Amino acid sequence: MMKAGLTRRGLLAGASALTAPGCAGFPASGPSSGAHDRIRALVEEGDVPAAGLVVCRQGRIVFSFAAGLAQGAGGEAAPVLFRADTKMRIASVSKMAVALAAHRLGASGLLDMDADVSAAFDPPLRHPQFSDAPVTLRQLLGHTASLQDPDIYWMAAPGRTEGLFVPAMWRPADAGPPGSAFKYANFGYGLAAHVLERATNVRLDRLVAQSVFRGASLDCGFNWSGVPRARRRAGATLYAFEESIWQPQADGPVVLAGGSPAILSETGFELATYAPGTNGTLFSPQGGLRASLLDMLTLARLAASDPGMREPVWTHDPAGPADDTDAGYFSVFTAGAQVHPQGDSPVRGLKLLGHHGEAYGLYSAAFHAPELDAEFAFAVTGTKSGGAGRTERHPVVVKATDPLWKSVAEILGSGAL
């Protein structure tokens, strides 16, 4: 449903010449008309409520365009245009911010990335089949801790992280002890956040803001913590297309109008009473960062500049049957970032380091291309059911994001269309 007074031209007027920290404004150059057309088409044809792409090369924005509605796509609110600086829940791209905070604490000597973290939990964090095998922060961040996601991996305050400990959080014994194989696990970041809070006695949202966001002039935040009120009110709702209409899935009108961090809590809980290091899942470290496309560019660049974020902790060996690559979705991972090597990249021949995001209808990506000294970030804020299907290009590319990947290839000149 489109509100009266909002024309199709207005709907597609979300083009942005805004800049990201570390990326100067620069007129778009190279082949970009096709990218504009693809993004427009995604919205005009009703495949997504909003879409956007920003590309930065050698420190300069070379392409920035966004279209569609950040709010009101289903008629639930007054229309708000989606822009390159619109804050949204960016899903697993959030993990890079948590990992950056961990690496910076490690570099400062406040924690050891390779120390056993089991004692930070009560009961200790131990695989029941490998009780002598340590679990480390590097393993948690790189998905090699022999974890798998249980049905529920978030805890309402004032509950404790340990209240989520169940046998189903551990991989079967034949997958090997912690450190021996890869399986992507969101819960690992809840556990990592618990460890970071215990090491610093600082709430995760504040810790990442202090150690990562502030120095990069970023005004993003986990579960809207620290995001300026005006930015939050102009933020994006995430949608699913159900019963012939875009239905809000995350950050609907009530949340966007709020003033406090959007946390899961029991009635009567006051955030001011929270003791850091008791519930690592409280600020959704696995995916709850609210940030814009421009913020995501900066996160990708920060990740690429951190030695700990660049060093692979796992590279898939076909002879290692315990690895779970999700049918080729994963092949290399660092302690906090996914790597697409040149020979296995959604942009043919171009190595990428960064992260994908997928939750509540949103698909996002933020990556650095070292050979070109370039970054790109994109998102769609909802998809119809057919848009979630994987394409032949690469397992990470779904139908709803294929036009964006094609546009990245075109703008960066890879020719991989």
Side-chain angles (χ1 to χ4, degrees):
M1 178 186 299
M2 188 179 300
K3 293 288 187 179
L6 186 67
T7 65
R8 178 65 64 182
R9 181 180 297 276
L11 178 64
L12 294 171
S16 174
L18 301 166
T19 60
C23 285
F26 190 70
S29 61
S32 61
S33 60
H36 284 93
D37 291 344
R38 293 185 193 99
I39 295 171
R40 286 192 184 98
L42 275 170
V43 175
E44 282 188 321
E45 294 172 9
D47 295 324
V48 302
L53 167 67
V54 184
V55 183
C56 181
R57 188 162 184 178
Q58 296 179 339
R60 296 186 175 191
I61 297 283
V62 297
F63 181 86
S64 178
F65 187 70
L69 291 178
Q71 300 174 33
E76 80 289 350
V80 174
L81 292 175
F82 185 69
R83 294 158 41 101
D85 65 346
T86 298
K87 306 292 187 188
M88 61 193 142
R89 190 184 192 281
I90 61 172
S92 287
V93 177
S94 309
K95 290 181 171 73
M96 290 198 294
V98 176
L100 278 164
H103 286 292
R104 292 181 178 187
L105 289 172
S108 70
L110 289 177
L111 56 79
D112 183 348
M113 297 285 290
D114 298 303
D116 188 352
V117 301
S118 299
F121 301 88
D122 183 17
L125 183 68
R126 289 291 188 186
H127 193 304
Q129 305 300 320
F130 303 100
S131 58
D132 294 331
V135 176
T136 71
L137 191 55
R138 196 180 305 276
Q139 291 170 3
L140 293 173
L141 298 177
H143 305 283
T144 60
S146 201
L147 287 168
Q148 59 188 8
D149 285 333
D151 290 338
I152 298 175
Y153 51 85
W154 54 90
M155 174 64 72
R160 301 177 62 88
T161 308
E162 293 90 344
L164 294 166
F165 286 8
V166 293
M169 64 188 269
W170 298 106
R171 300 190 71 190
D174 58 7
S180 61
F182 177 91
K183 183 175 178 62
Y184 190 87
N186 288 290
F187 189 32
Y189 273 69
L191 301 177
H194 179 109
V195 173
L196 296 183
E197 289 190 351
R198 284 291 299 269
T200 61
N201 198 35
V202 179
R203 243 170 47 192
L204 179 77
D205 59 320
R206 293 172 173 170
L207 173 61
V208 181
Q210 293 166 8
S211 61
V212 180
F213 300 152
R214 196 164 298 165
S217 299
L218 295 175
D219 60 355
C220 49
F222 279 89
N223 291 8
W224 295 109
S225 174
V227 176
R229 179 70 65 86
R231 295 283 195 186
R232 180 169 179 170
R233 290 182 182 275
T237 296
L238 305 184
Y239 296 94
F241 196 74
E242 299 172 345
E243 299 179 353
S244 302
I245 194 170
W246 290 111
Q247 302 278 4
Q249 303 297 298
D251 292 341
V254 173
V255 172
L256 294 178
S260 302
I263 60 169
L264 182 65
S265 63
E266 296 178 2
T267 302
F269 174 79
E270 296 291 338
L271 185 56
T273 67
Y274 173 69
T278 57
N279 184 356
T281 72
L282 189 60
F283 281 88
S284 307
Q286 80 287 349
L289 181 61
R290 270 58 172 190
S292 69
L293 294 173
L294 296 171
D295 299 332
M296 290 162 63
L297 277 185
T298 300
L299 279 178
R301 193 165 188 85
L302 290 174
S305 68
D306 189 292
M309 295 284 283
R310 293 196 304 265
E311 185 67 27
V313 297
W314 167 78
T315 299
H316 177 53
D317 179 356
D323 286 338
D324 184 346
T325 68
D326 189 8
Y329 194 104
F330 303 106
S331 59
V332 180
F333 226 94
T334 76
Q338 184 173 356
V339 176
H340 291 296
Q342 286 183 335
D344 182 27
S345 175
V347 182
R348 187 182 308 147
L350 192 61
K351 179 182 177 180
L352 302 174
L353 182 148
H355 219 292
H356 299 276
E358 174 187 342
Y360 299 109
L362 170 135
Y363 284 86
S364 62
F367 281 88
H368 172 77
E371 286 80 7
L372 299 179
D373 188 20
E375 292 82 39
F376 63 88
F378 65 68
V380 297
T381 60
T383 54
K384 292 184 176 179
S385 58
R390 293 185 176 183
T391 67
E392 294 182 358
R393 171 188 293 271
H394 191 281
V396 303
V397 181
V398 298
K399 292 179 180 178
T401 63
D402 190 44
L404 298 170
W405 283 107
K406 289 179 178 178
S407 297
V408 169
E410 179 182 73
I411 293 164
L412 293 181
S414 77
L417 300 178

